[in-house]
Amino acid sequence: SSWWSEVQMGPPDPILGVSEAYKRDTNPKKMNLGVGAYRDDQGKPYVLSCVRKAEAQIAAKKLDKEYLAIGGLGDFTKACAKLALGDNNEVIKSGRNITVQTISGTGSLRIGANFLSRFHTEARDVYLPKPSWGNHTPIFRDAGMQLKAYTYYDPKTCGFDFQGALNDISKIPEKSIIMLHACAHNPTGVDPRPEQWKEIANLVKKRNLLVFFDMAYQGFASGDIDRDAWAVRYFIEQGHNIVLSQSFAKNMGLYGERVGGFTVVCKDAEEAKRVESQLKILIRPIYSNPPMNGARIAATILNTPDLYKEWLGEVHGMANRIITMRELLVANLKKEGSTQNWQHVIDQIGMFCFTGLKPEQVARLTKEFSVYMTKDGRISMAGVTSGNVGYLAQGIHAVTK
Amino acid sequence: FVPGCFSVLVPQATPVAVFKLSNDFKEDPNPMKVNLGVGAYRTDEGQPWVLPVVKKVEKLIVADNRLNHEYLPILGLPEFRSSASKIALGEDSPAIQENRVGAVQCLGGTGALKMGAEFLRRWYNGNDNMKTPVYVSAPTWENHNSVFANAGFEDVRPYKYWDAEKRGLDLAGFLGDLETAPKHSIFVLHACAHNPTGTDPTHMEWTQVAEVMKRRKLFVFFDSAYQGFASGCLDKDAWAVRYFVTQGFEMFCAQSFSKNFGLYNERVGNLTIVARDADNVRRVLSQMEKIVRVTWSNPPSQGARLVAITLNTAELFAEWKDNVKTMADRVLLMRASLQAKLQALGTPGTWDHITQQIGMFSFTGLNPKQVEYMIKERSIYLMASGRINMCGLTTKNIDYVAKSIHETVVNVQ
């Protein structure tokens, strides 16, 4: 007998399951639109040129491999905060933020969840937009928080249900935590417009809610770093002391290097020091201190003017390719003779597109055309190329006409 | 609207002792200062050492255009996991041949302990049983307590281990605690080079420990952070782990490649799982994935790649073993040197424990007052427990350290 006889087989991961099935398919025209990683127009992973240059620079320095501090590489965390909040942000100048290096976005959310669970004793509830990234719920739950939702996506318009969101937010109990996607909402690609963000910020202030921003796509959404961080910066300006998760998986293509940051905007520098000391206490029993490689690459890029410039250009390029694919997809659908309204494909932003396809249509698309995507109709635009967009349009038209 | 929700609720936490020590050392202006608190290898010049084989493999990785920065699978790089487990269990391990070994790539040894602890809390001895006692040695690496407590275990207790009077293993106490521990208790065992005492059970003593653990159905959780680093020989240092496997235990082994590969900041670790059969392994790994997903999603690729390439390439593997031996040999040399000097000085007490102990650390036997004297009067930094890192010793500073220990022991009781 075994200690583990009662251990059940865990259910398969919904997103990974898609990739597994894709791998097994022998159809030469198959498409993997489940993957949440950028691909170039040949469908290949893309290592940014500024990343290769940064790696070469780092290799030449012959640095040691001594442990980082628990909070991570200082050059990285400072630059990470600046990137999100803006160079001349008053928060950074007054030292009232604490930014720690984390294991990409997931690690950041987890540390944040653990921190709030331990110290935000006024409320146990985290309000996620409906829908949200699939992993948000298990992360917060595992940290001991309770999950609730506020209306966000409107399936009738494939857009933002602004009134629905305001209605729900107005009823959230004070001091609860509200999760906001800073830009390129995952999975819908639907972002509020600036005027809508302003109203949300106002309402959130009235309700006295603690804001948790998840920013996994800065630069990747519109192609513009500052534009994508606008909501985060606006909220801070309006006096919200937010907590913020950042990921460099997508915008620097550093997926497997696990580069991220977690920031707490505090009342003042003294509070930031206390918060920092507690974050360290939370981090140490999980992994002691974070991995160096990716943080060094990111720091080198962010802190070297010509690499930074090159990076901005490459991020812009990736975002543009996505936007182009959106336009091409809609154009091809029209060419196929589709009479459906596909405007949302162009209006949505970032890596993902909520097509509006129903589960049966998705199933047909997969079975008859070998196009793999998640059941909710989400496709990763990153998996679309100028070479396969026509085929994709054919398939989508076939299952929706 | 009241900004700063944490103003009243977030107290300043006390800093972790070993990091405070390093900080104080940094700020000390005394040119003779010596840092014996650091937990990393140092060369005879007192410098960090990036292993020559690591430098070589890094160049290979940079030159290989087929490599990218894509996500690893949730459980990590397959070639790393299997080769890392082979290192711990041995190439010809019956458990590997019987297909009942699984592994999870983790962030350093800490990450491996964390994953194991989280899994055990959820699935061992019932479901979400926070009351299962977890035993850690007295003393132990201080983070052991935090890892298991944070995973939800409410009852983390010490088992007798270090005998301060005789400066050796308290075998009777250890076995006694094993006999009286509640059934199914979890025991964290140091595979070799016990941290902080440097005192390991002999083979015979390990067989006695195993006998009680098997009879009383206690869970074996090895912490293997120094394989190769202790004796200079990988197989020798893995003897205890492999012995327990031959005894039929289902067990966990948290492996760190921080010290033996010098990859500290790349966070390279592996949780090796030995189970009854392949089906159990499969189910355990599927649940490990769930835990990984809510903690870090997938592990960092650089360090694992490096280790995998090294372990799976014959010449590189040989070169690595050689580099490991270099480190272990320098430590052994410093031990012998320090012991000889203290003996020559006629320092009161016996100092054989310096050469009998093994690995990076030595429990000198200095008491807190003596430690304080060493730090304040001699600028020699060591832990309050009297633990020194042998790697902090060099041919240039060993005379100063020996004389200082002598002076301390003579003047401070």
Side-chain angles (χ1 to χ4, degrees):
Chain A
S1 75
S2 166
W3 289 127
W4 317 126
S5 318
E6 305 304 305
V7 175
Q8 297 140 24
M9 191 67 193
D13 188 288
I15 298 178
L16 281 184
V18 169
S19 283
E20 291 305 303
Y22 166 84
K23 273 193 213 128
R24 290 192 294 267
D25 193 323
T26 52
N27 184 345
K29 288 188 153 173
K30 65 182 179 178
M31 290 176 69
N32 187 353
L33 302 184
V35 68
Y38 180 80
R39 295 286 176 265
D40 63 17
D41 203 45
Q42 274 68 53
K44 297 275 178 289
Y46 173 57
V47 177
L48 277 64
S49 158
C50 63
V51 166
R52 288 212 192 279
K53 289 193 177 127
E55 286 178 307
Q57 276 187 27
I58 291 165
K61 287 199 184 130
K62 297 188 193 306
L63 301 162
D64 65 40
K65 297 198 177 291
E66 293 299 287
Y67 288 125
L68 285 179
I70 301 175
L73 183 65
D75 283 346
F76 167 73
T77 55
K78 286 194 194 70
C80 177
K82 271 211 196 126
L83 183 70
L85 307 186
D87 266 346
N88 289 308
N89 194 291
E90 156 275 319
V91 165
I92 297 179
K93 287 214 181 101
S94 57
R96 65 185 186 93
N97 67 301
I98 169 61
T99 300
V100 292
Q101 179 187 339
T102 56
I103 315 300
S104 205
T106 299
S108 177
L109 289 161
R110 185 53 199 255
I111 295 299
N114 285 356
F115 178 75
L116 293 174
S117 184
R118 187 172 278 185
F119 293 104
H120 189 65
T121 47
E122 295 99 324
R124 301 273 83 207
D125 292 334
V126 178
Y127 284 76
L128 301 179
K130 217 183 329 185
S132 194
W133 182 44
N135 208 17
H136 276 149
T137 295
I139 288 172
F140 280 99
R141 187 169 286 148
D142 204 57
M145 309 296 287
Q146 274 161 185
L147 279 311
K148 299 238 160 67
Y150 59 91
T151 298
Y152 188 84
Y153 179 71
D154 187 346
K156 290 198 296 292
T157 61
C158 294
F160 183 37
D161 185 350
F162 183 43
Q163 277 316 310
L166 291 179
N167 281 343
D168 281 357
I169 294 173
S170 68
K171 301 196 191 92
I172 297 179
E174 289 204 15
K175 308 220 172 141
S176 301
I177 298 153
I178 182 168
M179 167 74 68
L180 301 170
H181 295 220
C183 63
H185 180 271
N186 179 0
T188 69
V190 169
D191 287 349
R193 290 193 305 275
E195 323 85 75
Q196 295 171 323
W197 272 126
K198 285 181 179 170
E199 281 203 55
I200 294 169
N202 205 31
L203 178 58
V204 164
K205 190 189 280 197
K206 270 213 201 79
R207 298 300 307 149
N208 199 11
L209 306 178
L210 202 176
V211 174
F212 198 142
F213 264 112
D214 184 354
M215 184 155 69
Y217 299 98
Q218 188 185 5
F220 205 96
S222 70
D224 184 315
I225 292 291
D226 296 312
R227 209 166 134 192
D228 288 350
W230 184 85
V232 170
R233 297 173 189 184
Y234 179 77
F235 271 67
I236 292 175
E237 254 170 61
Q238 295 303 302
H240 296 266
N241 283 349
I242 67 169
V243 301
L244 165 71
S245 284
Q246 290 169 263
S247 167
F248 290 85
K250 284 84 172 172
N251 60 12
M252 280 194 183
L254 290 175
Y255 308 92
E257 302 294 339
R258 321 309 292 128
V259 193
F262 177 66
T263 293
V264 182
V265 176
C266 302
K267 189 177 65 162
D268 52 37
E270 190 270 334
E271 177 171 270
K273 281 265 153 279
R274 282 184 281 114
V275 170
E276 179 184 18
S277 72
Q278 294 295 347
L279 288 174
K280 287 181 185 172
I281 298 285
L282 285 168
I283 291 171
R284 179 132 165 94
I286 305 177
Y287 53 86
S288 277
N289 41 74
M292 171 64 102
N293 198 50
R296 242 183 210 158
I297 294 171
T300 303
I301 292 170
L302 294 173
N303 295 321
T304 311
D306 35 82
L307 287 183
Y308 183 69
K309 195 158 164 244
E310 183 170 7
W311 175 56
L312 292 181
E314 289 189 277
V315 168
H316 194 80
M318 289 192 285
N320 271 355
R321 194 183 90 67
I322 301 281
I323 292 169
T324 305
M325 289 304 107
R326 291 179 180 278
E327 289 163 0
L328 271 182
L329 179 56
V330 173
N332 274 276
L333 282 163
K334 291 204 176 110
K335 219 167 60 179
E336 287 292 322
S338 177
T339 52
Q340 314 271 354
N341 181 357
W342 297 106
Q343 186 56 34
H344 55 280
V345 173
I346 292 178
D347 291 342
Q348 289 166 7
I349 195 169
M351 199 179 279
F352 299 112
C353 168
F354 238 33
T355 55
L357 290 179
K358 302 194 189 52
E360 324 82 70
Q361 294 167 324
V362 171
R364 275 189 65 197
L365 200 47
T366 302
K367 190 151 174 261
E368 296 169 31
F369 293 87
S370 294
V371 172
Y372 291 82
M373 52 198 283
T374 45
K375 278 203 313 267
D376 54 7
R378 183 193 87 163
I379 59 174
S380 169
M381 294 307 301
V384 182
T385 69
S386 45
N388 64 24
V389 65
Y391 178 71
L392 177 61
Q394 260 176 49
I396 292 179
H397 177 57
V399 307
T400 56
K401 62 183 175 193
Chain B
F1 184 81
V2 180
C5 17
F6 312 116
S7 31
V8 199
L9 299 170
V10 181
Q12 178 76 27
T14 29
V16 179
V18 67
F19 298 130
K20 181 172 187 304
L21 197 73
S22 276
N23 240 18
D24 292 344
F25 168 81
K26 240 189 257 168
E27 288 166 12
D28 190 327
N30 185 345
M32 300 292 286
K33 65 182 179 177
V34 182
N35 188 356
L36 300 182
V38 65
Y41 179 79
R42 292 282 177 270
T43 62
D44 197 51
E45 283 75 43
Q47 294 304 312
W49 193 50
V50 178
L51 274 57
V53 73
V54 166
K55 287 188 184 159
K56 204 177 269 187
V57 178
E58 277 181 325
K59 289 207 181 85
L60 292 176
I61 291 175
V62 165
D64 191 343
N65 276 319
R66 296 166 304 167
L67 294 176
N68 52 41
H69 294 288
E70 292 298 292
Y71 288 127
L72 286 182
I74 296 176
L75 296 178
L77 188 67
E79 326 66 287
F80 166 77
R81 293 158 57 208
S82 53
S83 58
S85 292
K86 277 211 189 103
I87 288 293
L89 305 181
E91 270 274 357
D92 42 12
S93 170
I96 294 180
Q97 280 160 6
E98 288 156 25
N99 215 7
R100 52 191 189 86
V101 173
V104 183
Q105 178 193 336
C106 296
L107 272 83
T110 304
L113 287 163
K114 164 71 171 178
M115 279 304 136
E118 288 285 347
F119 180 88
L120 289 174
R121 191 260 295 159
R122 285 164 173 69
W123 296 103
Y124 175 71
N125 200 25
N127 280 93
D128 275 317
N129 186 351
M130 326 268 198
K131 306 234 181 284
T132 304
V134 178
Y135 282 81
V136 299
S137 65
T140 194
W141 182 48
E142 106 286 341
N143 207 17
H144 277 154
N145 288 281
S146 316
V147 170
F148 283 89
N150 272 270
F153 287 104
E154 294 166 359
D155 185 356
V156 182
R157 341 168 166 177
Y159 61 86
K160 295 191 192 63
Y161 192 84
W162 170 251
D163 185 332
E165 261 196 70
K166 72 169 217 225
R167 288 193 196 157
L169 179 69
D170 178 3
L171 181 67
F174 187 2
L175 293 174
D177 280 347
L178 288 169
E179 290 286 3
T180 56
K183 268 212 169 115
H184 305 313
S185 294
I186 296 161
F187 272 75
V188 180
L189 307 172
H190 297 228
C192 69
H194 182 271
N195 177 2
T197 69
T199 299
D200 291 342
T202 61
H203 289 191
M204 177 51 84
E205 290 165 346
W206 273 125
T207 64
Q208 293 174 269
V209 168
E211 189 274 321
V212 183
M213 293 191 77
K214 193 192 289 197
R215 183 170 25 90
R216 305 213 58 252
K217 302 207 189 326
L218 305 171
F219 189 83
V220 176
F221 199 147
F222 270 110
D223 183 352
S224 178
Y226 300 98
Q227 189 183 358
F229 205 97
S231 68
C233 171
L234 291 169
D235 296 318
K236 250 176 116 175
D237 289 350
W239 187 87
V241 174
R242 297 174 190 184
Y243 175 74
F244 274 69
V245 172
T246 64
Q247 294 304 296
F249 283 92
E250 285 188 300
M251 55 197 245
F252 286 175
C253 179
Q255 301 169 259
S256 168
F257 291 90
S258 293
K259 281 79 169 178
N260 59 15
F261 257 91
L263 287 175
Y264 308 93
N265 69 23
E266 302 285 7
R267 315 312 292 125
V268 197
N270 194 47
L271 177 68
T272 288
I273 298 148
V274 181
R276 192 63 64 220
D277 55 40
D279 183 66
N280 274 291
V281 169
R282 207 174 44 96
R283 281 179 286 107
V284 167
L285 289 180
S286 77
Q287 293 298 346
M288 287 281 181
E289 279 194 353
K290 304 282 160 258
I291 304 171
V292 169
R293 195 67 170 119
V294 296
T295 313
W296 55 61
S297 269
N298 44 77
S301 62
Q302 180 72 358
R305 238 178 216 165
L306 230 145
V307 172
I309 293 172
T310 307
L311 297 182
N312 290 316
T313 313
E315 325 87 71
L316 296 173
F317 183 50
E319 185 171 355
W320 172 57
K321 285 194 280 192
D322 204 62
N323 289 169
V324 171
K325 191 159 185 311
T326 298
M327 292 189 286
D329 283 349
R330 195 180 95 66
V331 169
L332 289 168
L333 180 63
M334 289 298 104
R335 285 186 178 279
S337 216
L338 181 62
Q339 199 253 12
K341 285 181 193 296
L342 290 172
Q343 211 147 357
L345 287 168
T347 309
T350 56
W351 298 99
D352 291 339
H353 57 283
I354 303 252
T355 43
Q356 278 160 8
Q357 288 164 6
I358 195 167
M360 202 182 273
F361 301 114
S362 179
F363 242 30
T364 53
L366 294 176
N367 64 41
K369 281 199 20 229
Q370 292 168 328
V371 169
E372 208 189 326
Y373 185 88
M374 287 277 278
I375 297 176
K376 290 221 164 73
E377 303 303 321
R378 311 294 285 176
S379 291
I380 297 176
Y381 290 77
L382 64 159
M383 303 295 289
S385 59
R387 183 192 89 168
I388 60 173
N389 180 358
M390 301 305 301
C391 299
L393 292 173
T394 69
T395 48
K396 290 181 196 63
N397 67 24
I398 197 159
D399 276 312
Y400 177 67
V401 173
K403 289 204 184 86
S404 302
I405 292 177
H406 179 84
E407 188 193 290
T408 305
V409 171
V410 164
N411 291 323
V412 184
Q413 271 80 50

